[in-house]
């Protein structure tokens, strides 16, 4: 099982929206949509791990930090992201990071929520 | 140059992988292949529209009908050609100032005139979407039977002004709709008599159009009519339009399908296109070029895009009144405070800004004189800082707490003012457009110095997407 982390990206959200439209028009079942999303999780995780090779550096000031369920959530202010090709500045950025060491995390958040 | 952006390719490959991966799933469920295709198209359209990738279809297999070779310096004086631009009087939007076209970003808006318009080379045309096209070769825009057509030129160069330096290098991006239409279109070029394309020119009023449709018919030297549908992203992104044979005029249909859906489909649906300054000719006018199949495809896209667009527009329109309301409520509150200042003790909440103050205020005047100074300063400060929350709270408090003693509330306001600031932090703090979703290798902290070692991340800054394999960062808390 791969992280469901990447569902809240442009790619993931657009997929979810498309699936929702198909569900509403009753062309697919919600169960099938879930399967598609799981497939998406696998695909995006492997794509990022294998097909992306670039590095980024960044610097800013830390506004908040949170560590819960092995997920770090940061909010940084006035950050500069530096890549070889370009420099990007943002005044506020939120970073959500799951543990990169474990390979089969399922989704720890939902697991905790569902447990009694 | 941003031409080597890895994101579009990556997204494309992910989409392909997912679609292939679920193909069996769909088959098992007994769902048609068509549904899978629809899913893919919807997905791709949304990604395209999200401006997350500038040139999502740069690597598209569809090759444009014409190669765009727009020279950089195409600033011919248009004044000389002004006369040739026949814009009939009385036509709306006839604000075509050719003199301004030499400079970039000048816009020419005109509706479809009743008779031909000769557009000389170097003219910059702005479509309804706001995208600018520079015509390098003289073209003639005619309108017959309510439709406009561009005749002539062998090679049409339509360049979207934005980053002229990148013109010659970037491949234009096309919407999938247009691509399909292009293919079909090219086949029909020979057989089609002069069909009028519609040159949409208009002013874009909203910058957050993500796609716009401009229909430009560019016939070749063989009198073929080539209709190109350029799907553009926003003005900020440098998109370059090829001139494929895709025409997507409002008059699409042989079948009489309505204009608006067609426009909205290719445009990725923008409000203006649906009802804006475009004078696109008569809806339902027949366009013999479009096949039924094309129409169906376009219709499908339209539905997809429409549904996408509708909520967006409603969101946008609704957001405006809300913000206006908030600001007006702020103003009201400050006005009321001023009045209260003169007559009574300032009440920020409770009955402070209602007529019922007369009863309470008079009794409190004597008792609370000593608090006047403190209350005023505190109230004003609070008003400055937290006008929004207070006005909202006050309005509810006014209605419900009319009879409660006001003394406690007044005293607590300055004390609570500090708390209010942090209250706003939490809900809004984590709500931002700039998000990074990634995995962490190591998070290190030393005193208040943090070091981040991240990997496999997707970044989204203001809608634009980036990816990284590794990211290393420093921050001070």
């Amino acid at each position: 099982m791969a992280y469901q982390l990447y569902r809240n990206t442009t790619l993931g959200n657009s997929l979810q929206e498309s699936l929702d439209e198909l569900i509403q028009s009753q062309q697919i079942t919600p169960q099938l949509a879930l399967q598609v999303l799981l497939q998406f999780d696998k695909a995006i995780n492997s794509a990022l791990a294998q097909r992306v090779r670039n590095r980024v550096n960044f610097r800013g000031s830390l506004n908040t930090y949170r560590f819960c369920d092995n997920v770090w959530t940061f909010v940084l202010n006035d950050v500069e992201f530096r890549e070889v090709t370009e420099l990007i500045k943002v005044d506020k950025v939120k970073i959500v990071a799951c543990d990169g060491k474990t390979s089969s995390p399922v989704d720890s958040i939902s697991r905790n929520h569902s447990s009694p | 140059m941003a031409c080597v952006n890895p994101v579009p390719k990556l997204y494309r490959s992910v989409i392909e992988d997912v679609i292939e991966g679920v193909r069996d799933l769909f088959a098992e469920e007994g769902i048609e292949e068509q549904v899978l295709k629809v899913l893919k198209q919807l997905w791709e359209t949304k990604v395209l529209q999200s401006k997350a990738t500038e040139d999502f279809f740069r690597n598209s297999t569809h090759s444009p009908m014409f190669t765009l070779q727009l020279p950089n310096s195409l600033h011919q004086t248009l004044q000389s050609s002004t006369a040739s631009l026949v814009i009939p009087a009385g036509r709306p939007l006839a604000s075509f100032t050719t003199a301004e076209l030499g400079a970039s970003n000048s816009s020419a808006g005109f509706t479809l005139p009743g008779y031909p318009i000769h557009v000389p080379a170097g003219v910059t045309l702005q479509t309804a979407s706001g995208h600018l096209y520079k015509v390098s070769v003289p073209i003639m825009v005619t309108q017959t039977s309510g439709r406009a057509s561009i005749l002539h030129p062998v090679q049409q160069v339509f360049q979207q002004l934005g980053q002229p330096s990148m013109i010659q290098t970037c491949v234009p991006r096309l919407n999938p709709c247009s691509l399909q239409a292009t293919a079909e279109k090219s086949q029909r070029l020979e057989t089609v008599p002069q069909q009028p394309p519609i040159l949409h020119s208009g002013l874009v009023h909203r910058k957050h159009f993500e796609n716009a449709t401009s229909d430009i018919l560019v016939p070749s030297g063989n009198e073929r009519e080539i209709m190109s549908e350029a799907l553009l992203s926003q003005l900020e992104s440098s998109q370059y339009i090829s001139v494929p044979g895709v025409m997507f005029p409002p008059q699409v249909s042989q079948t009489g399908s309505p204009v608006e859906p067609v426009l909205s489909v290719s445009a990725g649906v923008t409000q203006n296109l649906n009802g804006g300054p475009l004078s696109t000719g008569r809806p339902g006018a027949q366009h013999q070029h479009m096949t039924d199949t094309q129409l169906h495809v376009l219709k499908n896209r339209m539905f997809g895009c429409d549904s996408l667009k509708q909520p967006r527009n409603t969101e946008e329109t609704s957001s405006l009144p809300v913000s206006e309301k908030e600001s007006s409520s702020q103003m009201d509150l400050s006005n009321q405070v001023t009045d209260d200042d003169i007559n009574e003790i300032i009440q920020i909440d409770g009955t402070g800004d209602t007529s019922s103050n007369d009863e309470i205020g008079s009794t409190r005047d004597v008792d609370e004189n000593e608090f006047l100074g403190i209350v005023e300063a505190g109230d004003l400060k609070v008003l400055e800082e937290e006008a929004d929350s207070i006005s909202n709270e006050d309005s509810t408090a006014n209605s419900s707490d009319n009879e409660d003693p006001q003394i406690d509330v007044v005293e607590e306001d300055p004390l609570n003012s500090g708390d209010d600031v942090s209250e706003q932090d939490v809900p809004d703090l984590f709500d931002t457009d700039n998000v990074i979703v990634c995995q962490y290798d190591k998070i290190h902290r030393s005193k208040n110095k943090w070091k981040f070692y991240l990997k496999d991340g997707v970044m989204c800054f203001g809608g634009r997407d980036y990816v990284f394999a590794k990211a290393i960062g420093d921050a001070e808390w």
Side-chain angles (χ1 to χ4, degrees):
Chain A
M1 293 287 285
Y3 278 121
Q4 297 185 4
L5 171 73
Y6 300 101
R7 292 192 189 180
N8 187 24
T9 57
T10 309
L11 202 58
N13 282 325
S14 50
L15 176 61
Q16 293 191 68
E17 286 171 11
S18 307
L19 288 170
D20 285 341
E21 285 177 25
L22 291 182
I23 291 174
Q24 281 190 0
S25 63
Q26 302 203 331
Q27 291 177 287
I28 62 173
T29 64
Q31 183 62 24
L32 182 62
L34 185 61
Q35 297 294 321
V36 175
L37 285 172
L38 291 174
Q39 183 67 30
F40 168 77
D41 293 334
K42 285 188 215 160
I44 188 73
N45 272 279
S46 82
L48 285 175
Q50 292 166 7
R51 293 192 208 134
V52 184
R53 286 277 167 258
N54 58 327
R55 279 182 56 150
V56 169
N57 289 313
F58 63 95
R59 179 175 298 275
S61 54
L62 186 62
N63 187 315
T64 61
Y65 55 88
R66 174 186 293 168
F67 184 62
C68 180
D69 293 336
N70 278 322
V71 177
W72 276 104
T73 305
F74 303 103
V75 176
L76 277 71
N77 291 119
D78 301 324
V79 198
E80 278 187 12
F81 290 87
R82 218 171 279 267
E83 206 171 347
V84 176
T85 50
E86 52 191 318
L87 169 72
I88 307 159
K89 288 192 190 179
V90 291
D91 54 356
K92 186 167 140 188
V93 65
K94 176 165 90 169
I95 302 181
V96 180
C98 289
D99 196 344
K101 297 188 200 74
T102 64
S103 59
S104 59
V106 189
D107 43 335
S108 58
I109 296 175
S110 69
R111 184 198 290 160
N112 285 339
H113 285 185
S114 61
S115 62
Chain B
M1 292 291 185
C3 290
V4 196
N5 192 0
V7 172
K9 258 191 197 168
L10 179 76
Y11 282 9
R12 239 193 192 290
S13 67
V14 170
I15 292 179
E16 297 290 340
D17 288 346
V18 173
I19 297 296
E20 287 308 311
V22 299
R23 197 176 291 273
D24 291 340
L25 278 174
F26 272 58
E28 280 174 16
E29 295 274 326
I31 297 181
E32 296 176 358
E33 185 82 5
Q34 182 59 26
V35 178
L36 187 65
K37 282 205 180 103
V38 169
L39 172 65
K40 184 176 182 189
Q41 285 164 3
L42 282 173
W43 193 6
E44 284 176 344
T45 305
K46 288 187 204 293
V47 175
L48 192 72
Q49 289 172 350
S50 72
K51 79 172 171 171
T53 62
E54 280 187 346
D55 44 358
F56 189 64
F57 283 93
R58 204 156 62 81
N59 298 322
S60 164
T61 56
H62 296 85
S63 56
M65 292 301 297
F66 292 103
T67 310
L68 294 180
Q69 298 292 336
L70 185 68
N72 272 337
S73 58
L74 190 65
H75 295 295
Q76 298 176 12
T77 315
L78 303 170
Q79 294 178 358
S80 59
S81 61
T82 304
S84 63
L85 289 165
V86 183
I87 299 177
R91 285 283 178 174
L93 302 180
S95 59
F96 193 90
T97 56
T98 58
E100 296 173 358
L101 291 182
S104 62
N105 294 332
S106 58
S107 64
F110 57 90
T111 64
L112 298 173
Y115 42 94
I117 290 181
H118 177 245
V119 182
V123 168
T124 300
L125 301 172
Q126 180 183 21
T127 62
S129 64
H131 298 279
L132 302 174
Y133 296 87
K134 231 177 199 176
V135 179
S136 68
V137 185
I139 59 175
M140 180 82 72
V141 181
T142 63
Q143 181 176 18
T144 55
S145 308
R147 294 171 292 181
S149 65
I150 301 178
L151 310 179
H152 289 327
V154 178
Q155 226 178 9
Q156 295 295 327
V157 180
F158 287 87
Q159 170 198 1
Q160 177 183 3
L161 295 179
Q163 297 179 8
S165 61
M166 296 179 67
I167 295 169
Q168 296 162 352
T169 55
C170 284
V171 176
R173 175 180 90 180
L174 298 173
N175 184 285
C177 300
S178 66
L179 293 177
Q180 294 180 9
T182 305
E184 301 247 0
K185 207 53 192 138
S186 57
Q187 296 168 2
R188 289 175 169 272
L189 291 174
E190 297 293 343
T191 58
V192 174
Q194 292 182 352
Q195 287 293 327
I198 290 181
L199 182 67
H200 294 296
S201 300
L203 300 176
V204 172
H205 304 291
R206 296 170 72 168
K207 290 189 179 176
H208 41 264
F209 286 163
E210 295 184 344
N211 280 326
T213 304
S214 61
D215 300 340
I216 300 175
L217 197 67
V218 180
S220 68
N222 297 330
E223 295 293 336
R224 296 186 306 172
E225 294 183 356
I226 298 168
M227 297 188 284
S228 63
E229 173 184 79
L231 297 175
L232 312 169
S233 60
Q234 295 183 2
L235 269 173
E236 293 116 36
S237 64
S238 50
Q239 288 296 323
Y240 298 94
I241 305 156
S242 67
V243 182
V246 181
M247 174 0 199
F248 210 85
Q251 315 128 349
V252 170
S253 57
Q254 284 180 343
T255 62
S257 62
V259 173
E260 289 188 359
V262 168
L263 283 179
S264 66
V265 173
S266 55
V269 184
T270 57
Q271 194 173 12
N272 273 353
L273 283 177
N274 278 334
L278 277 183
S279 69
T280 58
R282 298 188 298 265
Q286 293 186 356
H287 193 281
Q288 300 170 4
H289 290 287
M290 303 297 286
T291 61
D292 289 346
T293 315
Q294 261 181 326
L295 290 173
H296 289 315
V297 169
L298 294 171
K299 264 187 190 170
N300 285 338
R301 293 215 174 278
M302 163 194 79
F303 291 137
C305 295
D306 256 342
S307 62
L308 177 65
K309 180 201 84 138
Q310 291 304 332
R312 187 185 300 154
N313 278 338
T314 50
E315 284 172 9
E316 290 163 348
T317 51
S318 64
S319 66
L320 285 176
V322 170
S323 59
E324 290 174 0
K325 203 189 301 177
E326 284 179 355
S327 58
S328 63
S329 67
Q330 293 179 24
M331 287 171 50
D332 290 341
L333 197 58
S334 54
N335 287 337
Q336 289 169 357
V337 170
T338 310
D339 290 338
D340 288 342
D341 245 347
I342 301 173
N343 298 326
E344 303 167 354
I345 299 174
I346 298 174
Q347 293 287 322
I348 297 178
D349 51 3
T351 61
D353 52 352
T354 64
S355 59
S356 64
N357 265 346
D358 292 338
E359 296 177 355
I360 302 177
S362 58
T363 56
R364 292 178 62 247
D365 269 339
V366 177
D367 297 334
E368 306 257 319
N369 275 343
E370 57 203 61
F371 290 104
L372 264 176
I374 302 172
V375 169
E376 289 173 12
D379 289 348
L380 289 176
K381 187 182 172 191
V382 168
L383 279 174
E384 286 171 10
E385 291 176 356
E386 308 147 17
D388 280 354
S389 59
I390 285 182
S391 64
N392 292 336
E393 293 168 2
D394 289 347
S395 57
T396 53
N398 284 338
S399 56
S400 61
D401 297 337
N402 268 347
E403 298 179 353
D404 291 342
Q406 300 304 315
I407 300 176
D408 292 339
V409 177
V410 172
E411 286 179 352
E412 287 171 3
D413 278 338
L415 296 176
N416 281 344
S417 61
D419 294 340
D420 288 345
V421 176
S422 64
E423 281 175 12
Q424 288 179 350
D425 262 355
V426 174
D428 293 342
L429 185 63
F430 287 89
D431 181 21
T432 171
D433 283 336
N434 308 322
V435 188
I436 301 179
V437 186
C438 59
Q439 301 177 31
Y440 61 88
D441 279 328
K442 187 173 172 59
I443 304 292
H444 174 79
R445 179 195 66 82
S446 187
K447 293 246 170 74
N448 71 336
K449 303 281 187 283
W450 290 72
K451 288 202 195 321
F452 313 95
Y453 299 90
L454 310 171
K455 71 174 186 183
D456 297 342
V458 179
M459 311 194 281
C460 177
F461 298 141
R464 288 193 55 180
D465 276 13
Y466 307 86
V467 290
F468 62 82
K470 282 207 182 303
I472 298 178
D474 287 287
E476 199 173 304
W477 181 74

